[in-house]
Amino acid sequence: MKFLLNITSLTMISLLISCSKNDEINPVNEDILFLVLGKMSIYTQDIIGNHTLRDHHFVAEIMPKKTGEILSGTLTSADDPDFNFPFNPEGRQFLAHGARTLTPEELHIAHPDGTYLFNYKTPNGEMTTQPLTLKRRDTTDIMPLPSTLSLTQNGKSIIPDLINPTQDLTIHWTPMNGNMRAKNSELDDLIFVLAFDCFGNNIAHSGRPYNGKPLLTYKDTEFTIPAHDLKEGVSYNLIVEQATADVMRHQGVPGIATYVTLTFLDAQTSGQSTCPSK
């Protein structure tokens, strides 16, 4: 009995040390807003609402705070000792891209669900083996299907290539199957809406988590771009991203494991085109 008590005591001490280590706030918190680990489906929608699959894609991301910086990073796997992907800068954030496939089955074989490990450095510190577990929910399709986007101005439906640049533009979407607030997650499932003009300018962004600003969730069904952000004779790429959000924190840094669908829609304001020639 005494031996069993000693084993139990050692186990409890080990658990307490492990929990304590996980609860420590790592100095990288000064730089990092959140991490993302995900599998995404990317679709293009045409003017009459038909969808074309671009690909299914595995990706991981380290998102810095507004005043933060990332120096380097790698993504490894708790289940595969040979898996090692470098993070590379894309703008201010760092991304690691995996396979792009045309079938869900190929993507799941190339990158099985499981626990992946983020290793990265910032000017304020270093994080080693931050775990983030990706697991498809029972309510999520094998890979998420596309949303159907529609546009309105002054409450009336319009076609994407006849946008009035003097009126607010509202983007609507159909919901991703199974989106919700997961029981053990600190975030609702998320929606992001972005718009880029033909000059490469990001004219609209609906917001991201953990920066204290408004953002969209699965409860939202529309987003409005003000008329003052539109210009005559300009083409736009409108994007709606719907994402599950299973959050795991490690040493203060939130990580979001996600299954995502993105729908791209080309749009155009009326008037003589001012866009660069292709």
Side-chain angles (χ1 to χ4, degrees), residues 19-222:
C19 291
S20 175
K21 184 177 180 181
N22 184 52
D23 291 341
E24 292 175 358
I25 301 300
N26 191 300
V28 299
N29 275 273
E30 295 294 322
D31 296 289
I32 302 302
L33 190 61
F34 58 84
L35 312 178
V36 177
L37 176 70
K39 295 180 183 179
M40 60 177 60
S41 297
I42 305 173
Y43 289 87
T44 299
Q45 179 180 316
D46 67 19
I47 195 171
I48 61 174
N50 295 320
H51 297 96
T52 301
L53 174 69
R54 289 192 186 181
D55 57 49
H56 304 295
H57 183 39
F58 176 89
V59 65
E61 180 176 3
I62 307 172
M63 175 65 68
K65 292 181 177 178
K66 187 174 182 180
T67 58
E69 183 183 359
I70 305 160
L71 301 179
S72 63
T74 58
L75 182 71
T76 55
S77 169
D79 305 310
D80 181 358
D82 295 324
F83 182 91
N84 191 311
F85 276 22
F87 281 98
N88 293 300
E90 295 185 22
R92 295 185 62 247
Q93 62 265 45
F94 272 49
L95 284 91
H97 293 280
R100 294 180 182 270
T101 72
L102 293 178
T103 69
E105 293 80 8
E106 288 177 305
L107 187 68
H108 294 316
I109 291 171
H111 302 290
D113 282 3
T115 300
Y116 291 81
L117 307 171
F118 288 72
N119 312 275
Y120 51 93
K121 294 180 181 180
T122 78
N124 285 289
E126 181 176 3
M127 178 73 82
T128 57
T129 63
Q130 175 171 350
L132 188 50
T133 300
L134 180 62
K135 183 179 180 181
R136 183 174 66 86
R137 299 177 189 166
D138 293 338
T139 55
T140 304
D141 296 308
I142 184 170
M143 282 298 292
L145 298 174
S147 304
T148 296
L149 311 187
S150 57
L151 307 177
T152 61
Q153 290 186 299
N154 284 337
K156 297 181 180 179
S157 296
I158 61 168
I159 59 176
D161 59 355
L162 285 177
I163 296 171
N164 186 334
T166 67
Q167 298 177 0
D168 294 349
L169 174 66
T170 300
I171 305 169
H172 309 259
W173 52 85
T174 57
M176 175 176 154
N177 185 41
N179 272 17
M180 56 182 285
R181 173 68 173 266
K183 182 179 179 181
N184 296 320
S185 180
E186 63 190 58
L187 289 177
D188 287 340
D189 287 347
L190 299 167
I191 295 175
F192 304 95
V193 179
L194 298 93
F196 294 89
D197 66 19
C198 57
F199 302 98
N201 301 310
N202 183 190
I203 68 154
H205 193 304
S206 61
R208 55 175 59 96
Y210 299 114
N211 63 4
K213 297 180 180 180
L215 75 163
L216 300 177
T217 74
Y218 74 96
K219 299 173 185 176
D220 296 291
T221 59
E222 62 183 46

